[in-house]
Amino acid sequence: MMKRIVLFGGGLHVGYCIDIILQEGKFEIVGIIDSIGEIGSSLYGFEIIGRQDDLIPLISDKNIEAGVITIGDNYSRKQVFDDIMRQVPDFEFVNAIHPSVIVGSGVEIGIGVVVMAGCIINPYSKVSNFCFLATGAQVEHDCLIKDFASLSAGCVLGGKVTIGPYSALTLGVIVMDRLSIGENTVVGSGSLVTKNLPDNVLAYGNPAKIIRERGLGEKFLKSN
C-alpha cells in the first residue's frame, strides 16, 4: 500500500507538486492543508481538508502518515515546518522528485525536497532539507545547496558551488564554478554570478552586482 500523505500549502506551487507525486506513483495524496482556501473545496482535484492548527486531529481522522510542504517561498516553508514540529515533533516528511530527474553517483538528498521535471543533479552534490529545484535546473558536481534554498527554472550551477540557507536563484541564473552564495540572498532572473555573494542581499545583472540588502523573511516571489 502507498503511504498516505498530506500537502501543506494551497498556492501556485501545489499544482506542480501534485503532478510530480502522481507521476512518481509512490504516495497517496489524502488532501491539502491550507490557511486560506475553503475547507471542503477542491484544488487541482484534491480536497482542502483543514487548517494547519488542526494537524493533530487530521492525522488521526485521515490516517495521515507523512507530508510535503508545497510552498515556494523559502522562509515561509521554514515557518510552516517549525509549526508542524511544534505540534508533531516526529512528523515524517517525504520528497517529491519527478521521474525524469537525473541523479548522479554519490548525490545526497535530504528530506522534504521537491525536484521538478528535467533537473540534473551531478555526482557528489548535496541537496539539503526542504529545498526546491524547478524545471530544468542543473547542479554540477560537488555542489552544496543548504536547507530551505531554491533554484528556479533553468538555473545552472558550476562545479563546487555552495548556496546558503533560504537563498533563491530565480529564472535562468548561472553561477560560475567554485563560488559561494550566502544565506538569505536572492539573485535576479538571467544573472551571471562571477564572484561570491554575501548573506542577506539582492543581486542581479551580467555580471551580478549587489543592489541592496534584504531582511530575513522578505518575500521574493510574485505570487506572494
Side-chain angles (χ1 to χ4, degrees), residues 81-92:
F81 166 77
D82 287 343
D83 187 56
I84 294 167
M85 290 294 95
R86 177 182 58 80
Q87 296 181 68
V88 188
D90 61 349
F91 189 83
E92 180 182 353

Side-chain angles (χ1 to χ4, degrees), residues 190-212:
S191 296
L192 174 64
V193 181
T194 61
K195 297 180 180 180
N196 293 337
L197 292 174
D199 299 344
N200 302 309
V201 299
L202 169 66
Y204 56 79
N206 186 354
K209 296 180 180 180
I210 297 172
I211 305 303
R212 62 172 175 84

Side-chain angles (χ1 to χ4, degrees), residues 15 32 136 160 172 221:
I32 300 166
K160 295 190 174 182
L221 295 173

